Amino acid sequence: MMKLTECQCAKVSYLEDDELIKDTALRIKKKHPQITESDVTYLPRLKAAFEYANTIPLKEENTRRNFLLLETFYPDFYQNPEVDKWLRTPNGYSADQRLEDYKHVMINRERRRL
């Protein structure tokens, strides 16, 4: 069995995260062709959001992708103090569930044009 050093493990994790961000960006742009933001600004914005998501921490890959989807349509949404508090405050639900709840609130607000 091959053993990796801590530095090597960190590099593998970084590469996996980077691939997840790029793949998610590609999927979002394919599904929503109205997104025309250049990758020069779009990918670093998603990277910053992903780094924040890791501090919550979000565990499920699908939830991390949803976080990036929210960032796409609501830039810097997580920097709002109320959103940050909601995502970080343990209330009996996981951070993944709190994000899913927030996503549904935002979807419903869009549908009602609030």
Side-chain angles (χ1 to χ4, degrees):
M1 180 167 72
M2 187 167 125
K3 292 186 179 186
L4 299 176
T5 66
E6 189 174 317
C7 182
Q8 290 169 323
C9 287
K11 182 67 174 171
V12 168
S13 180
Y14 172 83
L15 292 172
E16 288 173 346
D17 290 350
D18 195 53
E19 184 59 35
L20 179 77
I21 293 165
K22 288 177 181 176
D23 181 60
T24 302
L26 183 63
R27 288 181 186 194
I28 291 171
K29 284 187 168 187
K30 278 186 178 178
K31 188 172 182 177
H32 304 279
Q34 72 272 24
I35 299 168
T36 58
E37 183 177 355
S38 165
D39 284 349
V40 172
T41 57
Y42 185 53
L43 291 175
R45 187 161 62 86
L46 292 185
K47 176 81 173 164
F50 192 83
E51 288 171 0
Y52 169 88
N54 284 337
T55 68
I56 299 177
L58 297 176
K59 294 183 175 33
E60 299 293 325
E61 181 178 312
N62 195 44
T63 307
R64 290 175 178 204
R65 288 182 187 274
N66 284 334
F67 191 92
L68 297 179
L69 179 68
L70 285 169
E71 171 60 22
T72 297
F73 290 103
Y74 309 102
D76 300 326
F77 77 96
Y78 58 92
Q79 293 180 4
N80 179 319
E82 288 140 8
V83 173
D84 180 60
K85 182 178 177 184
W86 167 252
L87 293 174
R88 292 185 184 279
T89 303
N91 62 357
Y93 297 100
S94 69
D96 293 76
Q97 183 60 52
R98 291 191 303 271
L99 180 72
E100 288 302 311
D101 292 345
Y102 180 78
K103 181 184 86 170
H104 290 292
V105 166
M106 294 308 292
I107 289 169
N108 287 330
R109 290 183 78 177
E110 277 294 314
R111 285 184 182 149
R112 290 187 262 150
R113 309 257 191 256
L114 295 177

